[in-house]
Amino acid sequence: MTQVTSAPVKPKRPRPQVMRLTDAAAQRISELTKRADSEIVGLRVGVKNGGCAGQSYTVEYAHDIRPTDEVVEDKGVKILVDPKAVLFLLGTEMDYKVDKMSAQFVFNNPNQISACGCGESVELKPAKVDG
């Protein structure tokens, strides 16, 4: 009788959280969610091509959770990350800054190589993920 042994199954590593939020960003997302004209589940964050440096961040209301969205729950709010943007946003901290002339979400991204002078676009490289 031949005995077949299977290789031990490696436990899956927990997936790293794509992004994290500062308290200011979480508070602002909570405010936007409460006062939106229609029901929203959170904010959808992504990256699109364009601008002086080649890419820019996108932030929009999310009315539903798509099957391909990377859902990040942090500090009581949800952000949904576009699957095409995950490698560009891995390790990013999303903040919300208010100064005399503007109020905006700011991305502290370790994958950012450069930014244009006007601050509207960035150049990003995909994050290196250990196998």
Side-chain angles (χ1 to χ4, degrees):
M1 180 179 259
T2 307
Q3 187 174 3
V4 177
T5 58
S6 59
V9 177
K10 278 179 136 179
K12 289 187 176 182
R13 289 186 314 180
R15 291 175 62 174
Q17 184 170 316
V18 175
M19 295 178 63
R20 65 186 185 286
L21 302 171
T22 64
D23 291 338
Q27 181 179 347
R28 182 62 178 157
I29 292 169
S30 179
E31 291 167 1
L32 290 170
T33 303
K34 288 175 186 166
R35 69 173 207 201
D37 293 339
S38 59
E39 189 173 327
I40 62 171
V41 295
L43 294 184
R44 181 167 283 110
V45 177
V47 175
K48 69 177 183 177
N49 291 331
C52 316
Q55 297 164 302
S56 59
Y57 297 106
T58 61
V59 179
E60 61 189 18
Y61 289 128
H63 298 282
D64 59 351
I65 298 175
R66 298 174 186 156
T68 56
D69 283 336
E70 183 76 28
V71 180
V72 176
E73 294 186 61
D74 193 11
K75 298 179 175 60
V77 297
K78 281 185 190 168
I79 54 173
L80 310 171
V81 180
D82 181 333
K84 293 177 278 201
V86 168
L87 280 179
F88 294 104
L89 296 174
L90 198 60
T92 297
E93 176 188 69
M94 185 174 173
D95 195 5
Y96 185 72
K97 299 274 187 191
V98 178
D99 62 27
K100 291 180 182 181
M101 299 299 285
S102 69
Q104 63 185 345
F105 286 106
V106 176
F107 296 87
N108 300 312
N109 187 341
N111 307 305
Q112 184 172 314
I113 299 169
S114 65
C116 68
C118 66
E120 292 295 319
S121 66
V122 293
E123 182 181 0
L124 303 171
K125 64 178 169 74
K128 291 183 182 176
V129 180
D130 295 332

